[in-house]
Amino acid sequence: MENVKVVENGVEARQEIEHFVEQGYKKDEIYLLAHDKKRSEDLTDNLDINDIGVGEQGVFDSVANFFRTRGDELRAKLESLGASDAEAERYEKELDLGKVIVVASKAN
């Protein structure tokens, strides 16, 4: 995945979102993930971007997320946007450290 940024907080996430928009991405093509589900929801709401849902993951993976650990869910979401297993694992480790992942993807 080429268009992934690992940032420390919402301020940096906003900057990366603005950069992606300047590069021609629409806000509905930009996604944000944080390890804490509430933080992820708050940031996506405040920054007016998408959560990774049924449209990106498909019905099966979206339903399966109810039974997954948060780490497994995050890796599945990253993979639905084009990350390899190894990339998803690496980014999930960054999320474990409290970082935020911003992804721009035209693959939805």
Side-chain angles (χ1 to χ4, degrees):
M1 285 181 17
E2 298 174 20
N3 298 309
V4 179
K5 299 294 180 183
V6 179
V7 298
E8 297 288 333
N9 53 48
V11 172
E12 289 180 11
R14 181 180 303 278
Q15 292 170 342
E16 293 304 333
I17 291 165
E18 290 171 2
H19 287 129
F20 284 136
V21 170
E22 288 170 3
Q23 292 172 13
Y25 288 93
K26 299 175 194 158
K27 284 221 173 174
D28 64 353
E29 298 172 321
I30 302 171
Y31 305 89
L32 182 142
L33 291 166
H35 201 282
D36 179 73
K37 196 169 207 159
K38 177 78 169 118
R39 182 179 185 206
S40 188
E41 291 169 357
D42 289 346
L43 285 170
T44 56
D45 288 346
N46 289 329
L47 297 172
D48 191 32
I49 57 170
N50 287 327
D51 187 21
I52 301 167
V54 175
E56 293 76 29
Q57 287 194 285
V59 174
F60 177 77
D61 277 333
S62 292
V63 171
N65 284 339
F66 288 109
F67 304 101
R68 292 179 171 145
T69 66
R70 181 66 174 157
D72 290 343
E73 177 186 351
L74 292 167
R75 285 189 300 278
K77 286 183 174 193
L78 287 161
E79 289 170 6
S80 74
L81 293 175
S84 67
D85 290 344
E87 289 172 321
E89 182 78 25
R90 188 178 83 235
Y91 290 129
E92 200 264 325
K93 286 179 182 176
E94 294 285 350
L95 292 167
D96 285 344
L97 298 172
K99 307 272 175 89
V100 176
I101 306 288
V102 181
V103 181
S105 175
K106 293 191 182 270
N108 54 350

